[in-house]
Amino acid sequence: MHLIEKAEEDNQTVITEFILLGFGNLPELQILLFLVFLVIYIVTMSGNILIIVLVVTDQHLHTPMYFFLGNLSCLETCYTSTILPRMLASLLTGDRTISVGGCMIQFSFFGYLATTECYLLAAMSYDRYLAICKPLRYAALMNGRLCLQLIVGSWMSGFLSCVILMCFMSQLTFCGPNEIDHFFCDFSPMLKLSCSDSSMITLFSFILVSLDSPCPFLLTVTSYVCIIATILRIPSTTGRQKAFSTCSSHLIVVTVFYGTIMTVYLLPNTNTLKALNKVFSVFYTVLTPMLNPLIYSLRNKEVKEALRKIIS
């Protein structure tokens, strides 16, 4: 009887830190993984910072499209810095512990920036819709005021949601176990470890996801349906190619971002698919921020020209 009571008491011990298992099941690859992710982090930061510098300094890039691109690059530097430095430290030192407070802060920044990226990509798709479907009225419609409103709206969209969600999460207590089988603090793995009543926060998070994910996604899809329909109506092949080239970079970024996110969150949460889930999570949290500047710089004449000017 005393043993049972003691066991129950131990089970209710409030934990103060989590262990992010990450890629700890591959001990022989820790140094290799550290070097790979370090290179990815350096390339991501330098590529996105370079695009911000180009957009700010080159007069030819002072247009709504590049204003959005500069904000996207700024977001990517913050987004990747939320996850990668902590992951690099654990790969190098082997210390995978993170405080409960630190885990919540990491998740709140990750959630806020991911939501902002959804709205920012939607704003960029709307900009391309106006440029291709309403070219004669583009300058009047996408004026400085609307451009600024879309940017501020994108950055503010996820802020309130994340603040309210964090207020709910701060009320949770965690009694163990304390292992999270992921390389960063995501919502579902954290919630599974809570010994508090999580029905309210589950309902609230469902409402938030229902509002913050489908709305920008549907806006993005609708914009591209209209864009593709307009491009197909252009009689000349050269005209179609020119129109498509103005939005192809953004379309690739949107496809990679939403494709990997949907794969991660729609895959059944089974033990056999956990490793695959982790791999796809690497795509949208680590590789997408690195690919964005590469896609835009390699497929965009204006960016390449601005880069050539800086180099020369």
Side-chain angles (χ1 to χ4, degrees):
M1 188 69 177
H2 287 300
L3 286 173
I4 293 169
E5 286 174 4
K6 181 74 172 69
E8 286 176 356
E9 194 178 311
D10 289 342
N11 286 340
Q12 290 303 310
T13 303
V14 176
I15 59 172
T16 57
E17 60 182 25
F18 295 125
I19 298 170
L20 289 172
L21 297 179
F23 300 99
N25 59 332
L26 305 167
E28 68 284 357
L29 296 178
Q30 297 300 288
I31 297 299
L32 178 62
L33 286 170
F34 170 78
L35 293 172
V36 169
F37 285 119
L38 180 63
V39 170
I40 288 172
Y41 186 51
I42 292 168
V43 171
T44 302
M45 294 300 285
S46 54
N48 282 295
I49 290 169
L50 180 61
I51 282 189
I52 295 167
V53 170
L54 291 177
V55 170
V56 170
T57 57
D58 195 298
Q59 291 289 326
H60 295 97
L61 301 184
H62 289 185
T63 62
M65 176 181 166
Y66 294 108
F67 186 42
F68 287 122
L69 177 57
N71 274 268
L72 181 65
S73 290
C74 181
L75 183 141
E76 298 293 23
T77 58
C78 301
Y79 189 62
T80 196
S81 295
T82 303
I83 293 167
L84 268 178
R86 179 71 195 76
M87 191 166 118
L88 289 169
S90 68
L91 285 169
L92 187 63
T93 63
D95 179 17
R96 297 188 185 90
T97 59
I98 182 170
S99 67
V100 170
C103 208
M104 286 189 179
I105 289 168
Q106 188 191 56
F107 166 70
S108 63
F109 275 102
F110 163 74
Y112 166 58
L113 294 168
T115 306
T116 302
E117 181 155 7
C118 290
Y119 280 98
L120 197 53
L121 289 173
M124 292 173 81
S125 66
Y126 180 65
D127 171 68
R128 292 300 83 206
Y129 159 75
L130 291 179
I132 292 169
C133 301
K134 301 182 186 296
L136 299 177
R137 298 180 60 205
Y138 174 73
L141 291 171
M142 187 52 75
N143 52 43
R145 186 181 174 187
L146 177 61
C147 192
L148 191 62
Q149 285 173 343
L150 288 171
I151 291 291
V152 172
S154 298
W155 281 99
M156 291 304 295
S157 58
F159 182 75
L160 185 61
S161 304
C162 284
V163 168
I164 298 170
L165 190 62
M166 282 310 295
C167 289
F168 275 105
M169 290 193 75
S170 64
Q171 306 300 315
L172 297 176
T173 53
F174 301 91
C175 309
N178 65 339
E179 290 184 343
I180 296 177
D181 189 15
H182 217 320
F183 57 87
F184 71 98
C185 298
D186 205 357
F187 179 70
S188 297
M190 284 176 67
L191 204 61
K192 283 177 185 173
L193 300 181
S194 170
C195 50
S196 307
D197 178 20
S198 57
S199 54
M200 277 297 292
I201 190 172
T202 304
L203 176 64
F204 181 72
S205 64
F206 176 76
I207 294 168
L208 282 183
V209 169
S210 301
L211 291 172
D212 284 336
S213 298
C215 293
F217 176 70
L218 288 173
L219 180 59
T220 303
V221 170
T222 305
S223 296
Y224 272 103
V225 167
C226 296
I227 287 168
I228 291 166
T230 302
I231 289 173
L232 291 174
R233 286 200 295 270
I234 297 173
S236 69
T237 307
T238 310
R240 285 198 296 270
Q241 287 175 345
K242 189 177 179 182
F244 185 71
S245 69
T246 64
C247 64
S248 58
S249 298
H250 181 252
L251 184 58
I252 292 168
V253 169
V254 166
T255 305
V256 172
F257 180 73
Y258 278 112
T260 51
I261 278 189
M262 285 179 175
T263 306
V264 167
Y265 290 104
L266 294 179
L267 273 177
N269 192 18
T270 60
N271 289 327
T272 51
L273 292 174
K274 267 185 181 176
L276 195 61
N277 193 303
K278 215 180 284 186
V279 170
F280 280 111
S281 294
V282 169
F283 268 92
Y284 83 88
T285 58
V286 177
L287 292 181
T288 304
M290 181 187 74
L291 291 173
N292 285 359
L294 293 175
I295 291 167
Y296 276 105
S297 58
L298 293 175
R299 297 181 61 85
N300 194 294
K301 289 179 182 177
E302 287 91 345
V303 172
K304 283 193 278 190
E305 187 59 38
L307 187 58
R308 204 174 288 119
K309 283 180 189 174
I310 281 191
I311 291 168
S312 61

